[in-house]
């Protein structure tokens, strides 16, 4: 019954239901008509033929509904036609039962009652979407059964036959009335579910569209930010090789460190914005935590001096190695967030201290990092809420923060299997600031100790030809950065300003490596790679590496599908580029 209810709420379901009723009854009525023709006069057999015709009309109504171009209109019309035809069917069948009862003798009374019972059960047990439909189905056969059971020679005499028939009709009506109410309730529920399903489907499509728009925005943001950042870092690295005064060298080094830190933070933010928090994974690599802490302090010292705050690094054990295997982006993001949060809470004349400590535990190092400040104190009841986004504490209201930055720190530590919290200042710090308050934000995690391998023996390139590199890059600043990065390498560098020119140069010359940007005028990098792979001679596959700011996992997968061998990220990782050149040089030596 539930399946039928589910079907009849829609046009195709109502058509299947009505057609099934018509077809199943047509065969039964046909046999019944044959019996009537054989044993009854034509005035009774004609009613049987009429019944057959009404069922056939119901079948035709379902076929016409299927051909209607407006499903909603067809559904309403078929529901009305079904009710009208069922009224005619039931009325005709009841009149047929009356005629059989009046035909001759007492025996037809049984046949007439059986026919009326069949009509009652059939009409009462069908799916009724409205009360009108139910009344149409059960009233005529119920009255007919009562009429058949009465002894009209003495109509006021209650016989056992009359009482039994009345009880039977009452039982059927009680049971089917409840079923009819259930039918209507379930039908309404299924219609509500259908509407909710449509609404949820629409919301799902809108959510997917929003996610696509977000991905496109992130891709654009990634490209537009990394492209100028690549130029800044490239020029700053090149500047370090020039004869500079100590102050100029220090400033150049600060630019490089700040740019590299910004690059890592940008990568982390973009990855977190795109990733599913439930599927987030660590990207572990060798990390010198002491060097990272020094770099963070160095980068933020200028800002600290500008606001009149002292920012220092305290190394609890200078002899301990902090070379571990951890996620650089998440550790650095946590360090930067805590330091910037502390600087925002401290007024002029205050201080912020970054303290680094650790304990060796077998092959792991248990790291403890503290960021202590002399800002407003944090009440005990607020300490547990400091790492909840949008949960404003008293200190947060003073700073104007939302808690999102600290929430990111907590998520990073949870992913690394560590812990993070905030404590009141220790006795030394509190005494130094006259007991005015402050806070110590700390985080701890365990990481495997990294054991560096011996440095590889440099490849001897003496007497070897230069590595011929074709670089397709439309941005002038990026071309200059790449040229500066390779000016001291044994490389013959040829530039192409778009993909089409890169194809022409590749066809006209011989190259050992192609560096291909993705977004270029005339012909894009992906299209150029596909054309090279399609037309290059068999057995002469040239290495092609994409040099691009669009390096999300799905982007990399598309580049590899196009035929690229790998990807170099912008801002340019010079070490990765030189490692690639060394690999190509080594392969050339092996093939020689």
């Amino acid at each position: 019954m539930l399946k039928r209810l589910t079907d009849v709420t829609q046009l195709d379901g109502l058509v299947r239901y009505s057609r099934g009723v018509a077809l199943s009854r047509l065969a039964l009525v046909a046999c019944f008509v044959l019996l009537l023709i054989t044993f009854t006069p034509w005035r009774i057999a004609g009613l049987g033929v009429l019944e057959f015709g009404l069922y056939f009309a119901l079948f035709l109504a379902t076929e016409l509904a299927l051909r209607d171009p407006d499903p909603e209109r067809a559904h309403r019309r078929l529901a009305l036609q079904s009710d009208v035809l069922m009224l005619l069917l039931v009325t005709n069948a009841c009149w047929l039962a009356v005629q059989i009862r009046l035909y001759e003798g007492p025996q037809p009374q049984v046949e007439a009652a059986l026919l009326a019972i069949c009509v009652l059960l059939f009409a009462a047990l069908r799916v009724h979407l409205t009360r009108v439909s139910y009344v149409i189905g059960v009233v005529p056969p119920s009255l007919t059964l009562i009429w058949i059971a009465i002894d009209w020679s003495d109509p006021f005499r209650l016989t056992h036959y009359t009482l039994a028939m009345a009880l039977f009709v009452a039982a059927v009506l009680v049971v089917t009335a409840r079923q009819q109410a259930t039918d209507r309730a379930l039908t309404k529920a299924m219609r509500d579910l259908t509407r909710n399903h449509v609404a949820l489907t629409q919301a799902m499509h809108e959510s997917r569209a929003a996610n696509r728009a977000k991905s496109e925005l992130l891709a654009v943001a990634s490209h537009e930010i990394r492209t100028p950042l690549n130029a800044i870092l490239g020029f700053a690295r090149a500047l370090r090789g020039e004869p500079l005064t100590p102050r100029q060298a220090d400033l150049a080094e600060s630019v490089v460190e700040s740019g590299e830190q910004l690059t890592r933070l940008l990568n982390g933010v973009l990855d977190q914005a795109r990733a599913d928090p439930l599927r987030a994974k660590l990207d572990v690599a060798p990390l010198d935590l002491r060097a990272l802490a020094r770099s963070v302090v160095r980068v933020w010292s200028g800002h600290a001096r500008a606001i009149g705050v002292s920012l220092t690094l305290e190394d609890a054990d200078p002899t301990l190695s902090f070379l571990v295997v951890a996620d650089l982006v998440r550790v650095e993001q946590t360090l930067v967030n805590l330091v910037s949060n502390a600087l925002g809470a401290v007024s002029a004349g205050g201080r912020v201290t970054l303290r680094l400590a650790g304990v060796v535990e077998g092959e792991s190092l248990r790291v403890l990092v503290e960021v202590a400040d002399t800002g407003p104190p944090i009440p005990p009841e607020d300490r547990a809420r400091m790492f909840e986004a949008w949960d404003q504490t008293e200190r947060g209201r003073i700073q104007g923060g939302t808690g999102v930055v600290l929430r990111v720190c907590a998520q990073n530590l949870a992913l690394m299997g560590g812990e993070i919290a905030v404590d009141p200042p220790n006795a030394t710090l509190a005494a130094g600031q006259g007991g005015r308050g402050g806070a110590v934000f700390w985080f701890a995690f365990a990481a495997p100790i990294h054991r560096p391998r011996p440095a590889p023996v440099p490849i001897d390139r003496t007497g070897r030809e230069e590595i011929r590199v074709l670089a397709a890059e439309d941005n002038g600043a990026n071309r200059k950065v790449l040229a500066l990065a390779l000016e001291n390498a044994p490389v013959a560098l040829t530039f192409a300003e778009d993909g089409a020119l890169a194809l022409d140069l590749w066809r006209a010359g011989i190259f050992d490596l192609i560096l291909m940007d993705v977004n270029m005028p005339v012909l894009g990098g992906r299209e150029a790679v596909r054309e090279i792979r399609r037309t290059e001679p068999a057995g002469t596959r040239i290495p092609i590496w994409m040099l691009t700011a669009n390096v999300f996992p799905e982007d990399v997968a598309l580049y590899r599908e196009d035929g690229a061998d790998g990807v170099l990220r912008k801002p340019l990782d010079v070490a990765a580029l030189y490692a690639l050149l060394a690999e190509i040089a080594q392969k050339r030596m092996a093939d020689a």
Side-chain angles (χ1 to χ4, degrees), residues 30-282:
C31 295
F32 184 59
V33 169
L34 289 176
L35 291 175
L36 292 177
I37 293 174
T38 303
F39 297 104
T40 62
W42 278 105
R43 63 183 178 83
I44 297 179
L47 293 175
V49 173
L50 177 59
E51 190 78 3
F52 183 87
L54 291 172
Y55 275 113
F56 189 73
L58 180 61
F59 175 75
L60 290 179
T62 62
E63 294 299 319
L64 291 175
L66 286 176
R67 292 171 172 76
D68 196 314
D70 186 348
E72 186 176 349
R73 179 182 63 190
H75 187 280
R76 291 196 304 267
R77 187 176 64 191
L78 182 57
L80 178 61
Q81 290 173 344
S82 297
D83 284 345
V84 172
L85 288 172
M86 289 307 300
L87 174 62
L88 296 176
L89 285 166
V90 170
T91 302
N92 183 72
C94 290
W95 183 244
L96 179 58
V98 171
Q99 292 302 312
I100 293 175
R101 171 67 179 84
L102 297 174
Y103 178 48
E104 62 179 11
Q107 189 171 358
Q109 184 180 27
V110 177
E111 286 83 349
L114 289 175
L115 175 58
I117 289 172
C118 289
V119 173
L120 175 62
L121 293 177
F122 159 63
L125 295 176
R126 70 185 292 265
V127 173
H128 295 285
L129 302 183
T130 64
R131 290 189 178 90
V132 174
S133 174
Y134 177 71
V135 171
I136 289 173
V138 300
V139 170
S142 298
L143 296 177
T144 302
L145 276 173
I146 298 298
W147 183 85
I148 291 173
I150 294 176
D151 183 1
W152 290 101
S153 62
D154 187 4
F156 296 103
R157 184 168 65 90
L158 294 177
T159 64
H160 69 281
Y161 184 67
T162 304
L163 291 174
M165 190 62 72
L167 288 174
F168 172 77
V169 170
V172 171
L173 293 180
V174 169
V175 172
T176 57
R178 179 177 299 176
Q179 176 183 306
Q180 183 266 343
T182 303
D183 286 348
R184 289 190 296 108
L186 289 178
T187 300
K188 182 179 181 301
M190 293 310 302
R191 284 175 176 167
D192 291 342
L193 286 175
T194 301
R195 284 193 292 268
N196 291 339
H197 174 71
V198 171
L200 288 174
T201 301
Q202 182 178 358
M204 181 179 65
H205 291 322
E206 292 175 354
S207 175
R208 288 176 177 173
N211 283 333
R212 285 194 298 269
K214 184 185 75 170
S215 297
E216 293 171 0
L217 175 62
L218 289 173
V220 172
S222 172
H223 182 272
E224 296 304 317
I225 295 175
R226 284 190 175 115
T227 297
L229 187 58
N230 178 59
I232 294 171
L233 275 174
F235 295 145
R237 289 181 181 127
L239 191 61
R240 288 189 302 185
E242 299 294 326
L244 303 173
T245 66
R247 176 168 172 75
Q248 290 171 338
D250 182 68
L251 292 176
E253 186 66 30
S254 296
V255 171
V256 172
E257 288 186 355
S258 299
E260 291 175 344
Q261 187 178 115
L262 177 59
T263 300
R264 291 189 293 269
L265 293 177
L266 172 64
N267 295 337
V269 169
L270 291 174
D271 290 342
Q272 283 186 346
R274 299 178 68 259
D276 181 353
L278 298 178
R279 299 181 181 179
K281 296 181 180 179
L282 292 175

Side-chain angles (χ1 to χ4, degrees), residues 234-546:
F235 295 145
R237 289 181 181 127
L239 191 61
R240 288 189 302 185
E242 299 294 326
L244 303 173
T245 66
R247 176 168 172 75
Q248 290 171 338
D250 182 68
L251 292 176
E253 186 66 30
S254 296
V255 171
V256 172
E257 288 186 355
S258 299
E260 291 175 344
Q261 187 178 115
L262 177 59
T263 300
R264 291 189 293 269
L265 293 177
L266 172 64
N267 295 337
V269 169
L270 291 174
D271 290 342
Q272 283 186 346
R274 299 178 68 259
D276 181 353
L278 298 178
R279 299 181 181 179
K281 296 181 180 179
L282 292 175
D283 184 13
V284 297
L287 163 64
D288 188 342
L289 188 57
R290 177 179 284 113
L292 177 61
R294 288 173 178 169
S295 175
V296 171
V297 171
R298 178 188 182 94
V299 169
W300 283 90
S301 292
H303 173 69
R305 287 193 298 269
I307 62 176
V309 175
S310 171
L311 175 60
T312 58
L313 172 63
E314 179 184 328
D315 196 337
D317 189 352
T319 63
L320 181 64
S321 171
F322 281 89
L323 192 59
V324 296
V325 178
D327 191 317
L328 169 61
V329 172
R330 296 185 185 277
V331 174
E332 184 175 42
Q333 186 182 50
T334 303
L335 267 175
V336 169
N337 287 349
L338 292 182
V339 170
S340 63
N341 178 73
L343 290 174
V346 177
S347 57
R351 63 179 181 272
V352 174
T353 302
L354 173 60
R355 182 176 182 272
L356 186 63
V359 177
V360 176
E361 299 175 348
E363 290 300 312
S364 296
L365 180 67
R366 184 73 181 176
V367 177
L368 174 63
V369 179
E370 296 178 345
V371 178
D373 64 65
T374 58
I378 302 176
E381 62 272 13
D382 283 350
R383 291 171 195 160
R385 299 191 292 123
M386 291 298 296
F387 301 93
E388 296 296 328
W390 314 113
D391 197 350
Q392 193 78 301
T393 62
E394 182 63 30
R395 177 160 162 153
R397 280 189 289 272
I398 295 174
Q399 291 182 252
T402 60
V404 174
V405 169
L406 295 179
R407 177 60 179 170
V408 170
C409 296
Q411 291 174 343
N412 289 341
L413 267 297
L415 193 60
M416 292 190 294
E419 54 184 331
I420 187 169
V422 58
D423 291 336
N426 55 44
T428 303
L429 180 63
Q433 61 192 21
R436 289 178 297 172
V440 178
F441 288 83
W442 62 268
F443 66 92
F445 65 95
I449 298 174
H450 177 62
R451 309 291 185 187
R453 296 180 179 179
V457 178
I459 298 174
D460 183 11
R461 298 188 180 92
T462 305
R464 304 301 302 174
E465 296 180 356
E466 293 180 317
I467 300 173
R468 295 153 299 191
V469 177
L470 171 60
E473 172 61 69
D474 64 313
N475 186 281
N478 286 337
R479 290 197 298 271
K480 187 177 293 186
V481 166
L482 187 58
L484 288 171
L486 297 177
E487 64 179 352
N488 296 321
V491 171
L493 185 59
T494 303
F495 282 111
E497 297 181 4
D498 57 66
L501 181 56
L503 280 177
D504 294 338
L505 291 172
W506 168 73
R507 294 188 182 106
I510 300 175
F511 297 96
D512 301 306
L513 171 66
I514 296 178
L515 299 177
M516 187 75 72
D517 190 17
V518 174
N519 300 319
M520 293 184 293
V522 185
L523 185 68
R526 292 184 57 198
E527 293 78 6
V529 171
R530 288 197 294 266
E531 182 62 20
I532 291 173
R533 293 306 185 210
R534 187 183 68 83
T535 58
E536 66 183 347
T540 59
R541 181 182 175 94
I542 183 171
I544 303 176
W545 281 63
M546 310 305 288

